[in-house]
Each structure stands twice: as C-alpha cells, then as structure tokens.
Amino acid sequence: MLKPNRLKQKLAEGAVVHGLLNSMPSALMVEMIGHAGYDFVILDMEHACVNPETLEHMLRAAECAGLPALVRVPGGGAGSGRGSAGGAACTAAAITRVLDAGALGVVVPHVCTADDARAAVQASRYHPLGQRGISGGRTTGFGAIPLTDYFELANREIMVVAMIEDAQGVENIDAILSVPGIGMVLEGAIDLSQSLGFPGQAQHPQVQAAIGRVADACRERKVPFCAIPREGGQHAAWLVRGVHAFLLGDDRGVSFRALKAHVAAYSQ
C-alpha cells in the first residue's frame, strides 16, 4: 500500500540523502541496502534483467526495510536517438507497471527535451496532472484506500526523476526544468561523456562542465539535483555547492570491491 515518500520529505527539508543503484535483482539485496542505512534505492530495469514478479518482491522488501524505492525504467526520450513515438509509448507502459507494483517514483533515462519530461510526468500522474492508467491492487491495499483518495496520494507522493545524460539534455535543461512535476534530476556522466565525444571519460573537463551547468540550473529552479561522486573530494565539493542528494554507485560494484578486499586480507 502506498505510503508517504520519506525521500521526498527529506529533500523538501534540505536533508542530505544517500542512495544506491541496485544492479543485482534480488529482494534480499534490496532489504540489506535498507538496513545498511541508505536513504533510497534505485532499482535498475534499464541495464539489469528483471522480471516483473521479482521487481514486485524487491519493492516489497524495500517497504519492509523502510527504504524508499525508485525504478529506472527502460526506454528514453526521442531526442536521445534511442526513442521514437513507439519508444515513448514503451516507456509510458513501463512506468505504469512499476508504479502499479509499488514504486515510489520512476527514473527516466535520456530525457533530452521538455516533451520527454512532460511525457514522463503524464505517465506518472492521474488527472488532472496526467493520464496514468488506473488500477487498484497492492498500491491501494487491495481497496483499503478508496481509489479517489489514492489518486490524490499518488499525485502527491510519487516522484519523477529525469536523467540528463545527453548533450541535447544539457542544452535543454532550462526547458526540462520548467515542466511541472519533475521532482529531481540525476546526472549520467558516463553516457554523457559518449554524447560529448569523450566516451568513458566521466572526469573530462567538458563532461564535468556540462554536469555543473545542469546542477546550477537545478539550483536556480529549486529542483533537487542528484550527483554521483566518483572521485575523492567530489562529495564534499558538491555539498559546498548546495547539493544534498547523492547516488553512491551500485550494489554490484560495492559488493565486488568488498569481496576483493575480504579475500585479499587473508592472502597476504
């Protein structure tokens, strides 16, 4: 059953929040992330192979651990070169399914234009703010919340996060942020590096300048910006710039590094 979105509350209060990308589709892993103390998790359906039933169990695990869970849906904006009218329809269908499964928000990759942002919001909101398909089920507590009350609750609590990871998205950031309903912007430096002609070079000066431009636009529009610190000192530098939301990598990378360090401690 849909509950108040504590991530949204913390962002509104100006609290610093730390999240993790879930790349290993497992309810147990999601539950561990919650009990480890992260403020939110993004379940990845763009690059990870997740079946719908597993996703629903992962969302249940997040609820049990008190962990706000967003889902990065497959697809992307038409302007990214990855989409089309059909691609946008696929993204909308994916948004419908993950929200019906219980996600507290969606992360939409490759948002390049205001139309991309508007389509994501439309698919995530009920009338009069959007045109999300109507269903009941577990998000209403199987009827414990009347539908009309649920519409109001969902429109208030569910977040729409736009990923800016293309040169076109950077150029159009002001127009994207002007779309009502965008609750946060997440940078995507790796894909952005490719879009700018420096594939894989997340720290390239032009890539970092583009990310800074997006962060500055978010600050001016009072839309939370989520940074991904990749090198020492970046977390502190972003805090100085007024950024309060951070994605601290993914569980796959964290787990691999921990496993390597664990065995290395006994191999010397």
Side-chain angles (χ1 to χ4, degrees):
M1 188 164 67
L2 185 63
K3 302 289 186 182
N5 189 334
R6 292 197 302 151
L7 171 60
K8 196 170 183 179
Q9 292 174 358
K10 288 180 179 179
L11 289 171
E13 293 165 358
V16 175
V17 296
H18 298 99
L20 198 66
L21 181 70
N22 167 252
S23 298
M24 297 191 292
S26 160
L28 180 65
M29 177 59 72
V30 172
E31 193 172 9
M32 288 173 62
I33 292 169
H35 288 299
Y38 289 89
D39 297 294
F40 68 98
V41 65
I42 298 176
L43 310 182
D44 190 16
M45 291 187 70
E46 183 188 18
H47 293 290
C49 297
V50 188
N51 69 57
E53 185 176 8
T54 298
L55 177 71
E56 192 169 287
H57 289 321
M58 291 162 70
L59 290 166
R60 284 192 182 95
E63 291 167 7
C64 289
L67 177 68
L70 315 177
V71 176
R72 179 163 70 173
V73 296
S80 66
R82 291 168 168 76
S84 62
C90 290
T91 302
I95 288 173
T96 297
R97 291 192 185 97
V98 303
L99 293 182
D100 285 350
L104 279 173
V106 292
V107 178
V108 182
H110 298 288
V111 173
C112 290
T113 67
D115 284 342
D116 292 342
R118 199 170 292 112
V121 173
Q122 282 285 307
S124 305
R125 297 281 189 270
Y126 293 112
H127 177 83
L129 304 178
Q131 293 295 322
R132 176 183 164 189
I134 296 174
S135 179
R138 69 181 308 268
T139 54
T140 66
F142 303 98
I145 303 175
L147 265 181
T148 52
D149 292 346
Y150 171 70
F151 297 156
E152 182 180 350
L153 180 65
N155 280 353
R156 183 173 67 247
E157 300 298 336
I158 286 172
M159 291 181 66
V160 178
V161 180
M163 281 200 77
I164 305 299
E165 46 189 341
D166 302 271
Q168 187 180 8
V170 176
E171 290 301 314
N172 291 328
I173 187 60
D174 290 324
I176 290 167
L177 293 173
S178 72
V179 175
I182 297 298
M184 186 165 70
V185 166
L186 172 63
E187 56 114 323
I190 301 299
D191 276 357
L192 179 58
S193 70
Q194 177 168 253
S195 180
L196 291 172
F198 310 101
Q201 301 179 55
Q203 305 306 320
H204 191 281
Q206 290 190 36
V207 177
Q208 289 298 306
I211 292 171
R213 176 178 171 183
V214 171
D216 290 343
C218 288
R219 184 177 63 251
E220 290 173 9
R221 294 273 187 169
K222 301 190 185 313
V223 175
F225 173 77
C226 185
I228 306 177
R230 293 180 173 86
E231 291 194 344
Q234 288 186 336
H235 182 272
W238 280 120
L239 284 171
V240 170
R241 293 182 66 168
V243 172
H244 292 162
F246 299 91
L247 188 66
L248 305 180
D250 72 337
D251 53 7
R252 180 177 55 198
V254 170
S255 298
F256 184 68
R257 289 189 295 274
L259 289 168
K260 284 186 69 177
H262 183 248
V263 71
Y266 295 92
S267 304
Q268 314 230 343

